[in-house]
Each structure stands twice: as C-alpha cells, then as structure tokens.
Amino acid sequence: MVTDNDFRDPDFRRQLNETVNSLLCLKVVPIFNENDAISTRKAPYEDSSGIFWDNDSLAALLALELKADLLVLLSDVEGLYTGPPSDPQSELIHTYVKEKHEGLITFGDKSRVGRGGMTAKVKAAVYAAYAGIPVVITSGFANNNIIKALDGQRVGTLFHCEAIKWASIGDFDAREMAVSSRECARRLQTLSSQERSKILLDIADALEAKEEEILAENEADVAAAQQAGYENSLISRLAMKPGKISSLANSVRVLANMDEPVGRILKRTELADGIILEKTSSPLGVLLIIFESRPDALVQIASLAVRSGNGLLLKGGKEAKRSNAILHKVITSSIPPTVGESLIGLVTSREEIPELLKLDDVIDLVIPRGSNKLVSQIKAATKIPVLGHADGICHVFIDKSADLDMAKRIVLDAKTDYPAACNAMETLLVHEDLVQTGGLNDLILELQEKGVSLFGGPKASSVLSIPEANSFHHEYGALACTVEIVEDVNTAIEHIHRHGSAHTDSIITEDKEVAELFLRQVDSAAVLHNASTRFSDGFRFGLGAEVGISTSRIHARGPVGVEGLLTTRWLARGSGQVVDGDKEIVYTHRDLNLEA
C-alpha cells in the first residue's frame, strides 16, 4: 500500500526497483494499491500537488519508475470510443493520436468503482505514453485480453508517443473517408444524367491526355515487380500494354453514352384512389473494392461507380501502387467541385482495411477482386455484405454429339487464352463415347502441345495414363487442368454441382435437347452452349465494364456491371390518405404505365 509521499523519497524509489526486480526473478507478481486509509485527499483530482490521484495514475507512475515495456490499463469497456460506448454510432479508437483526438473526446461521469474512470485512464495513458511507455486500455472482462496485448494483437486502444508517424489514416480518417464518399455520392445523384455523363467523358479525355505519365508510372511498377521476383502471371496482369489507355477511355465513353440507369421507374401501381406508388432504381451507397494486380480495374470500377451514382473506396495491390496513384489522381481531378474529389477514395495501406471492414454503417457493399485466399479472408472479416466469388472452377463438357473441331477450338481458348483468369477452364469433362472414337486422344495431344499439364479423375487418369488429381475442387490459375470421363450429360451436371463453384460452365454439343437440358439445370452464374467460358466477362457481355464476377445467389450474379450496383426504392405520392386501420380506404392495386 503506497501513498504519493512515498514517491517523493529517493530511497523508497531505489528500494522499490530492487524489490520488484527481486520478486520478478522469483516469479512473484507484486501488486500495488493506493493507500486510501491514509489519503488526505477529499476528492479525486483536487490535490494538484499529488504525484498520483488514483490507481490509473499510480500505474503510469510505476510503469515509468520500473521502465516497463508495456502498461495495460483495464476498464469495463473495450477501450476509448469516439462517443459513449453505449451509442451504436460510437467507434472504438484503436490508436490514440494526441494531435488528432485531444479535445475531440468528451467523457461522462467517473467509474462506478473507485476514483477516476476513463478520464483518469486516458490522462494516465497519455502521461506514460509520451514519456516513452506504450499503453493499452482494454476490457478486463474479455478473456485473455492481457495475453493478447502482450502478443501484439489489436485489442482496446493503443497510446504511443510515435502514433502520429505511423497512424497514416487512423480510426477517425477511415470513417471520414467513407462518410465523405457518401456525401459526395449524394451530391452526384442530384446531377442530371447529362451532367454525370459529362464527368465520364471528361475522365476518358483526361486518361488519354495523361497517357505518357500513366504508362511511365506503370513501367516503374512493372520494373519493381520484376526486381522483387513476382510471378510472371502477376506481372502480366500488372503491365498496361500499348493501346490499353485508349481501350479504357473508350470503355468509359461507352458507359457515358448508355441509357440512364439511376432513377428509372421499374413499376407503377395505383394503391388506392389518389395514391401512386413507384418502384425505382437507386444507387447502393458506398462501395469498398479490394483488388489485386490489375490497375486497369481501377478505371473500370471508378467509371462504373460514377455511372451508377455510388461512392467508392479503392484498395489496390501494393505491386500497382504507382499506377493506381496516378490513375486515381487523373480520375478524381475530372470530378467537379460541386460533387467533390472525395467521391472516390484511394486506400494506400493494407493496415487500413480492417478498420474499413468494420464500418458496416457507412459502407454498403464490399467487392473483393483477386485470389481465392483474398476473397475468403474478406468474407470472414466483415459484417458488410460481400459480392464476389471465392473460386473460379469452370467446366467444359464435351458431349458425344459435339463437333470435335469446334470442341478443340473452344477448349484450347477456355484454357490457354488467359489461364490466370477466373473464367478459364479448370476441368474438362468428356462423354465416354469419345474415348472409343479416339476424339479424346486428339484433344489431349492438342492441350499438351500448348503446354497444358493434365491431371485426371479416377477414370481419365487410368485411360489416359496421366497423374491423378488431388481434388476435383481445384482452381489451377495456370496452364493445367483436370480431365474426367463421364457417362452422359446428367452425370456431367451432377459432377459440376458437386465439385464446381457456380461460376461459369459450358457444354459443347450438336444435340439441342441436351444443350437445353444443360442450360436449364446447371446452377451457375453463367452457362454457355458451344462457346468458351472466357466469354463470361463484363465487357464481352456488353456491360461496358465490370466490378467483378459474383457467384452469390443474392443480388447480382455473374459479371457485375452498372445494374449490379443498383438497388430499388419505393416512392409514393398521395393526397392526404391515412391508414386508420384500413377502415375507409379501398385498395385497387392497379398496374399503371411506367410513363407518368
């Protein structure tokens, strides 16, 4: 039991250090407490001459005296919040930056237990942190929070003297970025269709005008990726080849000239005499897009957001940092001040993603574009709806009636045109009759000549003498695929449903009944007949561009363009009607023409 006077005695402080070190060597944990019994203070904080006022400031003082590596202050809440912890709008501040947060946080009454409360904890934490001792304020009720803090996990609120240097966006800025994007999106939605189209046309012109700068930054990214030893497939996606800027500008112009998607009346109904209800198309709100490697995706996504009236936050891969930065600058400089450049925010650090994924009250949809691992991690880390696909296990089934020359062209295109794409063929299913006719052998030779490594299912590995695949549910993303022999179209459909990812699947057949059966029964986002799986793409589907491909069964499926970034709203126009228990109102529910 100690008092503030003890710490005025140099002999006590020396003895304190020696005693604590000795106890710790013996694996004994000393416990200190303010000696309330002999305290002369009438109330907390009143005695300005005191060295400490409560156990929080005592803990900070002891941490400094003992040169601690870390001070953990336990509370009855998770940490320091932007407002009252009970308020759903309050956000936990993971990193306290004195320069930002001092003066912005207000505190309620002191703790129910003892003296002080959060006010005392923050004062003590700031005092210790800026004297060189890192501090974490976290909940004492949660399991293992002390262990988690010692392990460096993100729990509670961290106080550190150098927080301003590495808290690049911080807790407030993550929210501010999303809120600003929403505010800009609402201003964008007030513009006329022609005004929104002009923004897109200005973006297209700006891309072409800044082509040299964009390509120079992209070349620097490619050179850095090569020096870092990245895989050739990633470098291929990263590089913006000659003509790419012109192609992107043209795709933006296509979007600019499309029919207005926002505010379209989808249905008009007379509810009762004098009250008309309209179902209209409406932007989703704020989108968070996380994508890897391909900087051209930034242009597609940004132009789709403008066309659909949505706010946008973008996080590209670090390998495309320079390319993304210049493209973002070119695009946002084309957005008029009446809307605001904050319409499209660029997130520059991976560390900022966890904070953004928590903002389910201001971000409406997350779209991850990248590897299976990336998509799975995003889905597991957020309560925000996620639109995307974790796997791209696409099948091509060659029926017994297939034109084999056509089949070769389609299969080779589906596998070798762009092996890393999510719509590339990963499994080839072949009708067993083709084994007898020799048609399968010719196709296998063609694939091998193109450098495709083949792995077989139980039947195909035996018949073709190729290594057996470890799993049918595997996305190679390279010049490799699985081959299996099936009895008929029904067996093929069953195989696709069991082992596929509901992305894109194709049948090659001259039998129209078999084709229709396949098209009706295969439950995938895109199903094709006598065509390569590589057609499953926003541009090729005529959407102008895409933000990604979705295998979700809620909202959009397949390539997602403007339509997939819209939802609906109901607008009702009455003349004084009231419900009043439905006693005097006569519902007509009469469908009306869409034109007012």
Side-chain angles (χ1 to χ4, degrees):
M1 302 293 282
V2 294
T3 68
D4 53 351
N5 285 326
D6 292 328
F7 288 89
R8 293 187 174 90
D9 183 348
D11 289 335
F12 170 84
R13 292 166 62 186
R14 183 177 61 255
Q15 185 182 34
L16 171 72
N17 274 277
E18 292 174 355
T19 302
V20 169
N21 287 330
S22 297
L23 289 170
L24 293 176
C25 288
L26 295 170
K27 296 186 177 180
V28 175
V29 178
I31 296 175
F32 293 83
N33 191 42
E34 180 187 5
N35 195 340
D36 301 312
I38 60 172
S39 174
T40 58
R41 244 169 252 102
K42 295 179 181 178
Y45 319 123
E46 283 192 6
D47 187 350
S48 60
S49 65
I51 295 176
F52 61 84
W53 303 271
D54 50 49
N55 281 325
D56 295 311
S57 54
L58 170 59
L61 180 61
L62 284 167
L64 289 171
E65 284 290 334
L66 301 171
K67 298 179 177 59
D69 296 316
L70 176 70
L71 170 61
V72 180
L73 297 176
L74 298 179
S75 174
D76 58 355
V77 293
E78 188 57 36
L80 179 61
Y81 284 78
T82 56
S86 58
D87 186 344
Q89 299 300 316
S90 296
E91 292 290 320
L92 179 65
I93 299 173
H94 286 286
T95 304
Y96 181 90
V97 181
K98 185 178 180 181
E99 293 80 357
K100 291 183 179 182
H101 298 121
E102 191 173 45
L104 294 177
I105 309 298
T106 57
F107 301 96
D109 295 335
K110 68 181 182 67
S111 169
R112 296 184 301 273
V113 181
R115 297 189 300 204
M118 189 56 76
T119 308
K121 293 185 194 304
V122 172
K123 285 188 175 182
V126 171
Y127 170 66
Y130 284 82
I133 308 295
V135 182
V136 172
I137 296 178
T138 189
S139 171
F141 292 103
N143 289 335
N144 299 320
N145 262 6
I146 295 176
I147 300 298
K148 289 176 182 178
L150 292 173
D151 285 341
Q153 295 183 39
R154 177 177 275 192
V155 293
T157 303
L158 172 67
F159 293 73
H160 195 285
C161 61
E162 296 187 348
I164 189 63
K165 295 181 181 179
W166 37 262
S168 58
I169 139 172
D171 306 280
F172 274 104
D173 291 319
R175 171 170 289 277
E176 285 175 358
M177 181 183 283
V179 170
S180 295
S181 180
R182 184 182 292 279
E183 291 172 351
C184 292
R186 286 173 174 160
R187 291 196 289 271
L188 176 69
Q189 293 160 23
T190 66
L191 301 183
S192 67
S193 178
Q194 292 76 17
E195 288 171 319
R196 283 201 297 276
S197 293
K198 186 179 185 304
I199 295 174
L200 289 170
L201 294 173
D202 289 344
I203 289 172
D205 292 342
L207 288 169
E208 291 178 333
K210 298 291 184 179
E211 181 174 8
E212 288 187 12
E213 291 179 42
I214 294 168
L215 292 180
E217 292 298 295
N218 181 248
E219 287 170 6
D221 277 334
V222 171
Q226 290 171 333
Q227 188 174 5
Y230 284 110
E231 294 180 2
N232 289 334
S233 59
L234 182 144
I235 294 172
S236 175
R237 293 194 297 271
L238 175 61
M240 303 185 77
K241 297 171 184 174
K244 189 63 178 179
I245 298 299
S246 177
S247 174
L248 287 170
N250 288 335
S251 68
V252 175
R253 293 187 179 103
V254 169
L255 286 173
N257 294 321
M258 73 183 297
D259 292 339
E260 175 57 46
V262 180
R264 286 188 296 116
I265 299 174
L266 306 175
K267 182 178 176 63
R268 294 185 77 239
T269 305
E270 179 191 76
L271 296 187
D273 185 37
I275 181 167
I276 305 300
L277 178 68
E278 294 177 345
K279 182 181 182 181
T280 65
S281 60
S282 173
L284 287 170
V286 177
L287 316 173
L288 170 60
I289 316 290
I290 302 168
F291 60 101
E292 296 177 341
S293 305
R294 292 176 50 190
D296 57 301
L298 185 150
V299 179
Q300 294 183 44
I301 295 164
S303 55
L304 283 168
V306 173
R307 179 73 275 186
S308 60
N310 286 294
L312 179 63
L313 305 179
L314 291 160
K315 172 63 180 76
K318 63 180 180 181
E319 66 280 351
K321 183 177 181 180
R322 295 179 181 86
S323 304
N324 290 336
I326 185 65
L327 287 169
H328 177 258
K329 181 179 178 181
V330 169
I331 290 170
T332 54
S333 65
S334 302
I335 297 173
T338 51
V339 173
E341 293 185 1
S342 296
L343 175 73
I344 302 173
L346 183 64
V347 181
T348 57
S349 169
R350 174 178 277 185
E351 285 69 32
E352 297 157 3
I353 294 299
E355 290 308 310
L356 290 164
L357 292 176
K358 294 176 182 177
L359 301 179
D360 56 302
D361 59 327
V362 284
I363 296 176
D364 300 286
L365 183 68
V366 181
I367 304 178
R369 288 182 55 156
S371 66
N372 183 330
K373 181 180 179 182
L374 170 72
V375 178
S376 298
Q377 286 176 340
I378 296 300
K379 286 184 174 180
T382 186
K383 293 189 290 186
I384 305 169
V386 178
L387 187 149
H389 66 278
D391 298 294
I393 303 171
C394 303
H395 298 75
V396 174
F397 167 54
I398 306 177
D399 186 41
K400 63 181 179 180
S401 68
D403 179 320
L404 292 183
D405 288 334
M406 177 194 293
K408 288 176 186 177
R409 291 197 308 274
I410 291 174
V411 168
L412 288 172
D413 181 83
K415 183 67 264 182
T416 66
D417 180 65
Y418 190 2
C422 63
N423 58 13
M425 181 190 75
E426 301 295 2
T427 299
L428 173 64
L429 301 176
V430 182
H431 195 290
E432 62 183 6
D433 286 6
L434 296 178
V435 177
Q436 308 301 325
T437 62
L440 176 57
N441 290 333
D442 291 343
L443 180 56
I444 294 302
L445 286 173
E446 292 262 10
L447 286 167
Q448 290 175 331
E449 286 176 5
K450 293 291 185 179
V452 179
S453 299
L454 301 176
F455 301 89
K459 291 183 180 180
S461 60
S462 175
V463 171
L464 301 172
S465 299
I466 56 178
E468 188 165 345
N470 292 327
S471 170
F472 279 126
H473 192 89
H474 181 69
E475 184 176 6
Y476 294 96
L479 282 173
C481 72
T482 301
V483 182
E484 183 57 316
I485 299 166
V486 295
E487 295 176 6
D488 53 24
V489 65
N490 292 309
T491 313
I493 293 170
E494 182 183 345
H495 179 103
I496 290 168
H497 287 164
R498 182 180 299 174
H499 303 291
S501 60
H503 190 293
T504 302
D505 299 291
S506 177
I507 182 173
I508 307 171
T509 182
E510 295 301 298
D511 187 325
K512 291 184 177 180
E513 289 186 8
V514 169
E516 288 304 314
L517 177 68
F518 189 91
L519 292 171
R520 286 196 310 270
Q521 292 195 8
V522 171
D523 185 21
S524 295
V527 188
L528 299 84
H529 172 213
N530 286 349
S532 169
T533 56
R534 291 280 291 122
F535 279 104
S536 183
D537 172 84
F539 171 75
R540 298 186 181 102
F541 275 14
L543 306 181
E546 69 175 42
V547 294
I549 293 180
S550 170
T551 55
S552 171
R553 285 169 170 77
I554 298 175
H555 198 56
R557 285 186 84 180
V560 179
V562 171
E563 294 292 331
L565 302 181
L566 299 173
T567 183
T568 57
R569 298 172 62 219
W570 298 93
L571 306 178
R573 294 176 175 85
S575 52
Q577 289 84 353
V578 295
V579 172
D580 192 23
D582 293 329
K583 289 181 291 189
E584 297 183 5
I585 191 164
V586 178
Y587 290 102
T588 58
H589 292 154
R590 182 166 60 92
D591 289 339
L592 303 175
N593 292 331
L594 296 184
E595 298 297 327

